């Protein structure tokens, strides 16, 4: 029997494309999308959709009962930059939504949970290059703290109550459909939009800031692959390191210039620079590759080509 899925935070950058992919795999009627509002009308009109507050336990529970849900993807969160502006709101949303979902799974109604962690669990004392799976995690952002603590709770609920929760530490995700909101890695999406619209971009990170990144298709592939893997292959119940490419603002600008020679970049670092400086430059994800056969497909060059093709269509250039 096909599983019946609820996506919480479906209108966000990853939720939008995850919903589409899961509907392709499981059928439109087996995937209920939900968000706090209807900001993404294409998604709202594409299949079952409910308005749902991720902080409201009873609302999530009722939605699961009414729709026979057995699997939840919890994608709602405040990201790193927004979290620094609204620390208590970030703590409230990121932690309570996770507890609600883990507690529903503990009660037996929900059989499988996906919850994203992030490279934000790492901090300035973490080894920067090829960051290992098990290493020092002393995050300096509220978002990073919520992800680190969330990882501990996922592992706890798995060990103590047998909850089948699976998680990956997303790097910055680059996509051309829904915009990201409130992250430190958002520059790597904005740059493509501005390249097409204005022919130039002012980066809020300095030119040599090297961060781990990934094209959306790879992020969706990782998410659906870990969720489809047999339970015994999932040896890490906190969260898996996940890696594809690393680049700097200067390098992404060069890749755009290779296709748009007149593109211009300038640099004006803001408060997000300190967040970026606290994160690793590259990630060792060999455990994900060994345990559930993770591999990525996109490098900087073919990602840039795809982004520019898709955004030219979007903006009709
Ligand atoms: C952010 O920049 O906050 C996110 C992340 C790396 O988790 N994209």
């Amino acid at each position: 029997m096909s599983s019946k899925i609820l996506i919480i935070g479906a209108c966000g950058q990853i939720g939008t494309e995850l919903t589409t992919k899961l509907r392709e795999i499981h059928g439109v009627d087996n995937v209920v999308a939900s968000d706090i509002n209807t900001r993404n009308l294409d998604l709202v009109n594409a299949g079952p959709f409910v308005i749902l507050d991720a902080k409201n336990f009873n609302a999530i529970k009722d939605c699961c009962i009414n729709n026979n849900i057995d699997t939840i993807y919890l994608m709602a969160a405040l990201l790193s930059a927004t979290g620094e502006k609204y620390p208590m709101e970030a703590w409230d949303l990121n932690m309570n939504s996770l507890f609600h979902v883990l507690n529903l799974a503990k009660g037996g109604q929900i059989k499988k949970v996906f919850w994203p962690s992030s490279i934000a669990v790492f901090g300035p004392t973490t080894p920067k290059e090829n960051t290992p799976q098990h290493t020092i995690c002393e995050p300096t952002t509220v978002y990073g703290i919520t992800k680190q603590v969330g990882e501990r709770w996922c592992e706890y609920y798995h060990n103590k109550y047998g909850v089948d929760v699976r998680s990956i530490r997303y790097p910055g995700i680059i996509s051309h459909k829904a915009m990201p909101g409130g992250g430190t890695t958002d520059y790597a999406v904005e740059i493509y939009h501005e390249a097409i619209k204005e022919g130039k971009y002012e980066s809020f990170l300095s030119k040599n800031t090297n961060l781990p990144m990934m094209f959306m298709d790879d992020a969706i592939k990782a998410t659906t692959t870990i969720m489809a893997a047999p339970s015994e292959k999932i040896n890490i119940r906190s969260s898996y390191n996940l890696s594809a490419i690393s680049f700097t603002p200067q390098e992404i600008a060069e890749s755009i210039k290779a296709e748009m020679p007149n593109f211009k970049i300038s640099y004006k670092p803001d408060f997000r620079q300190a967040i970026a400086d606290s994160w690793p430059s590259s990630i060792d994800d060999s455990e994900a590759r060994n345990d559930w056969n993770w591999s990525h497909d996109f490098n900087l060059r073919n990602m840039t080509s795809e982004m520019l093709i898709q955004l030219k269509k979007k903006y009709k250039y």
Side-chain angles (χ1 to χ4, degrees):
M1 207 182 69
S2 200
S3 64
K4 200 85 195 283
I5 293 168
L6 173 65
I7 304 173
I8 301 176
C11 290
Q13 185 199 14
I14 302 176
T16 299
E17 299 202 35
L18 185 61
T19 304
T20 308
K21 186 55 167 186
L22 290 174
R23 285 182 173 156
E24 265 169 48
I25 298 173
H26 300 278
V28 173
D29 292 338
N30 289 321
V31 180
V32 178
S34 76
D35 210 303
I36 187 83
N37 59 36
T38 54
R39 67 196 141 121
N40 182 340
L41 282 180
D42 287 345
L43 183 106
V44 170
N45 295 326
F49 181 88
V50 290
I51 292 193
L52 191 60
D53 178 355
K55 294 188 288 185
N56 185 335
F57 177 77
N58 287 327
I60 301 175
K61 187 176 173 192
D62 289 347
C63 178
C64 290
I65 292 170
N66 294 340
N67 293 285
N68 281 320
I69 300 294
D70 58 24
T71 302
I72 296 182
Y73 291 72
L74 174 54
M75 310 308 288
L78 284 195
L79 300 187
S80 56
T82 313
E84 292 311 287
K85 289 187 183 153
Y86 307 105
M88 288 302 113
E89 285 82 353
W91 179 260
D92 187 19
L93 172 63
N94 296 4
M95 296 318 305
N96 284 319
S97 59
L98 177 60
F99 278 125
H100 296 339
V101 171
L102 289 176
N103 283 327
L104 275 178
K106 176 186 161 191
Q109 153 113 29
I110 300 302
K111 307 287 179 231
K112 219 193 255 189
V113 173
F114 178 80
W115 174 79
S117 185
S118 159
I119 54 162
V121 295
F122 302 119
T125 50
T126 305
K128 252 195 164 359
E129 302 294 338
N130 237 0
T131 302
Q133 173 72 44
H134 302 286
T135 186
I136 301 167
C137 290
E138 295 180 330
T140 48
T141 61
V142 175
Y143 173 65
I145 294 169
T146 65
K147 290 298 179 188
Q148 182 198 34
V149 175
E151 287 189 6
R152 303 318 325 141
W153 279 111
C154 287
E155 190 181 78
Y156 184 88
Y157 270 69
H158 176 75
N159 290 340
K160 190 109 179 170
Y161 308 119
V163 169
D164 187 355
V165 53
R166 301 163 184 218
S167 176
I168 48 193
R169 291 171 175 157
Y170 286 132
I173 307 295
I174 290 97
S175 64
H176 51 80
K177 290 191 179 137
M179 289 300 277
T184 301
T185 57
D186 293 6
Y187 92 86
V189 179
E190 290 170 7
I191 193 170
Y192 290 110
H193 287 260
E194 295 305 304
I196 298 292
K197 289 193 292 184
E198 305 290 339
K200 61 181 180 160
Y201 179 64
E202 184 176 86
S203 169
F204 58 75
L205 297 183
S206 66
K207 68 176 180 184
N208 293 322
T209 309
N210 198 19
L211 287 172
M213 300 277 187
M214 180 175 288
F215 190 49
M216 179 63 87
D217 293 30
D218 279 331
I220 299 296
K221 177 175 147 186
T223 309
T224 53
T225 305
I226 192 175
M227 286 299 272
S231 186
E232 62 276 12
K233 294 277 183 202
I234 310 298
N235 295 315
I236 293 173
R237 293 296 183 156
S238 50
S239 191
Y240 277 92
N241 274 7
L242 191 73
S243 159
I245 40 182
S246 289
F247 54 77
T248 64
Q250 186 172 33
E251 286 164 342
I252 193 173
E254 289 305 323
S255 81
I256 294 172
K257 271 190 206 163
E259 304 205 18
M260 300 177 61
N262 293 329
F263 174 68
K264 300 248 172 321
I265 181 150
S266 56
Y267 303 94
K268 194 173 176 204
D270 66 14
F271 74 101
R272 290 168 280 195
Q273 185 66 45
I275 301 175
D277 288 341
S278 76
W279 290 349
S281 304
S282 59
I283 302 285
D284 174 359
D285 63 353
S286 41
E287 310 237 10
R289 288 177 194 261
N290 290 336
D291 287 1
W292 40 276
N293 291 329
W294 155 244
S295 66
H296 67 282
D297 296 322
F298 283 83
N299 57 30
L300 178 56
R301 190 181 43 77
N302 53 24
M303 179 178 81
T304 292
S305 296
E306 184 63 15
M307 286 295 288
L308 294 176
I309 289 169
Q310 296 303 333
L311 290 177
K312 277 178 191 159
K313 278 192 219 154
K314 186 174 199 150
Y315 293 115
K316 301 193 171 33
Y317 276 87

